Amino acid sequence: MRRRGFLAGAIICVPFAQAWAHAMPNSTLVVELLQGAVRLVARIPTSELGAVLERGRPADRYVGEHADIFGADGRTWTAEVGPVAASSAREHPGVVVELLFKPPVGAATKAATLRYDAVNHRVASHYVLVYRRIGEQLVPLGRLQSPATELKLS
């Protein structure tokens, strides 16, 4: 008799639990290939960033540590991280961080690979939609979700 009561209670609770569930917001990256550089604009929902960011750690430094561009020769490019700005999205407010990657002296000037694992290095269900900016158009390049952290740019 106790089993039936437990089972009935579990069946009743499942629809309520599903009603409270909500879709987790994803991050987006926009890659822009420039002459001798790559601009990367990351938009990360504050709810997701707050789940992984240690107290007192700046968001720009965190994103800079979790993003890399590799040239065609495999060498890592240097990054200049811009300031953090607030995203204007109403439903999922977030932060926007811009990074500018440049090849080291003597390295290949063609960007080949993006490595990015901000948030999804700790939250496996989080995913990142990656786009390439060509003029005013955004072209989908792919999706990064753990364990996938790299995407070919060329």
Side-chain angles (χ1 to χ4, degrees):
M1 187 61 106
R2 285 187 177 184
R3 284 186 189 168
R4 286 185 189 162
F6 173 76
L7 185 57
I11 292 170
I12 292 170
C13 290
V14 169
F16 292 115
Q18 289 174 344
W20 287 322
H22 63 283
M24 298 301 290
N26 62 283
S27 294
T28 57
L29 291 178
V30 176
V31 177
E32 188 174 1
L33 304 178
L34 306 170
Q35 186 72 22
V38 172
R39 178 178 294 128
L40 181 71
V41 179
R43 185 197 170 283
I44 308 167
T46 53
S47 60
E48 301 294 284
L49 187 60
V52 297
L53 196 61
E54 292 102 23
R55 179 177 225 124
R57 186 168 184 198
D60 56 348
R61 195 172 90 194
Y62 169 79
V63 173
E65 291 172 359
H66 290 273
D68 286 307
I69 296 288
F70 298 96
D73 59 2
R75 292 175 64 185
T76 305
W77 290 19
T78 56
E80 297 172 16
V81 183
V84 175
S87 167
S88 59
R90 234 179 4 159
E91 188 173 325
H92 298 291
V95 297
V96 177
V97 180
E98 185 175 320
L99 300 98
L100 185 66
F101 293 90
K102 295 181 181 177
V105 175
T109 58
K110 183 175 181 183
T113 305
L114 162 71
R115 185 200 58 85
Y116 184 87
D117 69 350
V119 179
N120 55 359
H121 72 103
R122 289 208 181 141
V123 181
S125 61
H126 186 77
Y127 63 94
V128 182
L129 299 176
V130 183
Y131 300 91
R132 178 174 175 197
R133 178 176 297 284
I134 301 174
E136 295 299 314
Q137 195 173 20
L138 294 179
V139 179
L141 284 181
R143 174 182 164 138
L144 296 173
Q145 185 172 10
S146 184
T149 61
E150 292 187 0
L151 187 64
K152 294 289 184 192
L153 297 177
S154 55

